[in-house]
Amino acid sequence: MAAWKILRDFSYRRVISSTLGRSRHCFSSSSSSSSSSAAYAAPKIPHFSKRGRLLTGATTLGLVIATGAYVSTVDEATFCGWLFSATKLVNPFFALLDAEVAHTLAVSAAARGWVPREKRPDPAILGLEVWGRKFSNPLGLAAGFDKNAEAVEGLLGLGFGFVEVGSVTPVPQEGNPKPRIFRLRQEGAIINRCGFNSEGIVAVAKRLGAQHGKRKLDETSRTSSSPNDEVKAGGKAGPGILGVNIGKNKTSEDAAADYVQGVINVSSPNTPGLRMLQGRKQLKDLVKKVQAARDEMQWGEEGPPPLLVKIAPDLSKEDLEDIAAVAVALRLDGLIISNTTISRPDPVSKNPVAKETGGLSGKPLLSLSNNILKEMYLLTRGKIPLIGCGGISSGEDAYRKIRAGATLVQLYTAFAYGGPALIPQIKAELAECLERDGFKSIIEAVGADYR
């Protein structure tokens, strides 16, 4: 119940703090004492005449003024674009590091605000409302990147419409032995067998609670200073949406009890027996118990947070029919399609790394996940919001998922390779796709290929 209590207070609504996008630099200085060893003689400082000092100072001041004048002439949108483009320079450095080390550094950078902050409003055509909540754009970050909710503000500040943290387990667990993340760079893919490494629901709940308190304080001070300013959903200085992905502990014998403690992930290939929970009876029992736990809580004006189930792409037609039947019968709020795959489609199968055990994500998953997405859209007759996840690396990829039935979309692997610069690129490309085909909104395009 701890997770539901935090989510109740959190209300899935985030307001981005304007201070988090700024880099913090620490400078230290030290001076030698008068008793320093003579062996380390202080260097001679050249003498400058008074006129020379004045010229030097004037030159420096002139450079500062000139630089400031130049920057001031650059509009905010252009400067923001430069910052995002500049992050591409860091990508080769991360590529040299071990995959998990690079991942840890990336999360740490986002947590400290050492990433650009989106100052430009999202294209109006990308805005939509789902579950009574406004999204400035449909592009989200999938679970697995920020497993312990360390960098929510920084990641939302990058311009994602929503961020899903986790998977979070009820009690802390180390996950599988390292190495457990493997790059297939040429294929734009990753194989991971992390196994739900998590600090546990208590640590994550405390962290979200602290962030929530800070956000409320910032929101209060901002409102009191400018009461007439309208806060828009997402985009420039607006709130984003937070999702929490819950997974069961590896040694747990009672999956329902684990999931009741707070999207439901029954599809990771790296926890033994987890995918068995996608069967009709097991899934129905699980969803009913989690819904009951959620509905026991008192929520704010927006009501309880939506409950979604994340499914695998390696399902048979019968499995999909069972899941669709449960989702419709129990009025599930949504499905995330899909998790990683245990298959190794071409061209991945030819890569020696493909022999590693684990779930495959990235470009090779696009076609497989889109097929599952299409089937589930047809089986649910478009009655349930679907989040398309798997293989997105461009605005065209995101658009294909939306036309196949997705209301929202998520990415992860392409973000790991492309960095922050990929986010505004995908949003711009997606807006172009919609306009090109005559759609006036995201909702108009949802399921367009199969209506």
Side-chain angles (χ1 to χ4, degrees), residues 69-401:
Y70 174 70
V71 172
S72 67
T73 63
V74 177
D75 64 273
E76 187 178 59
T78 301
F79 186 65
C80 186
W82 287 351
L83 290 178
F84 273 86
S85 295
T87 62
K88 295 177 182 179
L89 300 175
V90 185
N91 293 344
F93 166 72
F94 279 91
L96 297 174
L97 302 175
D98 168 79
E100 189 154 1
V101 171
H103 179 191
T104 301
L105 286 177
V107 173
S108 181
R112 287 165 172 75
W114 297 345
V115 292
R117 177 176 170 75
E118 184 57 84
K119 298 290 186 179
R120 300 160 292 185
D122 287 327
I125 197 171
L126 298 184
L128 70 163
E129 184 171 330
V130 192
W131 307 302
R133 292 159 172 83
K134 292 182 179 180
F135 292 74
S136 67
N137 70 78
L139 184 65
L141 179 62
F145 185 84
D146 187 6
K147 290 178 175 290
N148 296 300
E150 300 172 77
V152 174
E153 297 284 2
L155 293 171
L156 284 172
L158 288 172
F160 284 110
F162 63 107
V163 168
E164 185 180 343
V165 300
S167 291
V168 184
T169 55
V171 298
Q173 65 178 27
E174 293 293 327
N176 293 323
K178 300 177 183 180
R180 53 195 179 186
I181 303 177
F182 308 91
R183 297 187 182 104
L184 296 87
R185 187 172 299 279
Q186 188 173 355
E187 292 81 5
I190 288 175
I191 292 175
N192 94 82
R193 53 169 179 262
C194 291
F196 288 170
N197 50 308
S198 171
E199 292 180 9
I201 195 68
V202 173
V204 170
K206 286 181 179 179
R207 191 169 290 130
L208 289 178
Q211 293 173 3
H212 177 60
K214 181 180 182 302
R215 177 184 66 82
K216 280 295 185 183
L217 183 62
D218 291 341
E219 184 180 356
T220 300
S221 61
R222 184 162 53 247
T223 302
S224 60
S225 62
S226 54
N228 296 324
D229 288 350
E230 180 184 357
V231 178
K232 298 181 179 180
K236 183 178 178 181
I241 307 296
L242 171 71
V244 180
N245 186 300
I246 304 296
K248 71 183 277 296
N249 280 109
K250 185 175 182 179
T251 57
S252 174
E253 296 182 359
D254 188 348
D258 280 5
Y259 286 113
V260 160
Q261 301 205 56
V263 172
I264 304 176
N265 188 347
V266 293
S267 53
S268 170
N270 301 313
T271 298
L274 185 65
R275 292 192 170 190
M276 294 176 62
L277 296 174
Q278 294 172 119
R280 180 180 294 218
K281 183 180 184 304
Q282 296 92 328
L283 183 61
K284 185 176 182 179
D285 291 343
L286 177 63
V287 170
K288 289 174 70 174
K289 289 179 180 179
V290 177
Q291 285 178 330
R294 179 194 61 177
D295 295 342
E296 285 178 2
M297 305 295 296
Q298 292 184 347
W299 302 92
E301 294 180 0
E302 291 185 332
L307 177 66
L308 293 86
V309 171
K310 188 170 187 175
I311 66 174
D314 312 302
L315 295 170
S316 67
K317 177 72 172 178
E318 184 180 355
D319 291 332
L320 294 175
E321 290 172 352
D322 286 345
I323 293 171
V326 171
V328 172
L330 297 183
R331 296 183 180 180
L332 193 64
D333 295 302
L335 294 166
I336 300 179
I337 305 168
S338 67
N339 212 318
T340 57
T341 179
I342 56 176
S343 68
R344 298 293 184 263
D346 289 334
V348 171
S349 59
K350 299 178 178 63
N351 192 315
V353 180
K355 297 178 181 179
E356 294 289 348
T357 302
L360 173 73
S361 63
K363 290 183 179 180
L365 182 58
L366 182 63
S367 179
L368 178 59
S369 61
N370 282 0
N371 288 336
I372 300 297
L373 177 62
K374 174 197 72 174
E375 291 295 331
M376 193 55 69
Y377 178 76
L378 294 173
L379 287 169
T380 59
R381 300 182 293 282
K383 293 181 177 180
I384 295 175
L386 306 178
I387 298 181
C389 181
I392 293 176
S393 60
S394 69
E396 188 69 40
D397 293 338
Y399 183 55
R400 287 173 58 188
K401 284 193 182 293

